[in-house]
Amino acid sequence: MAIVLSVIVFIITFVLLLGSYIVLVANNKIKKRRMDKVLKLVATYSLVTALVYCYQYLYL
């Protein structure tokens, strides 16, 4: 059950972070960067979030 919830958390955070980046670029709040760098960063943050969620679910 923890793994399924962690995958859901990963997908949700990935979509939210990528969506917020796209909105900020569209509104000219930040500079546009290469998409591969952005995807790496977003995937890393999402993975860390999912791992922290899994740890909290299992051990706390």
Side-chain angles (χ1 to χ4, degrees), residues 37-50:
K37 288 184 179 181
V38 171
L39 287 176
K40 275 187 205 174
L41 275 174
V42 169
T44 303
Y45 288 143
S46 298
L47 183 62
V48 169
T49 304

Side-chain angles (χ1 to χ4, degrees), residues 11-26:
I11 292 170
I12 290 172
T13 55
F14 188 83
V15 169
L16 288 176
L17 287 172
L18 194 60
S20 63
Y21 172 76
I22 291 170
V23 167
L24 287 172
V25 168

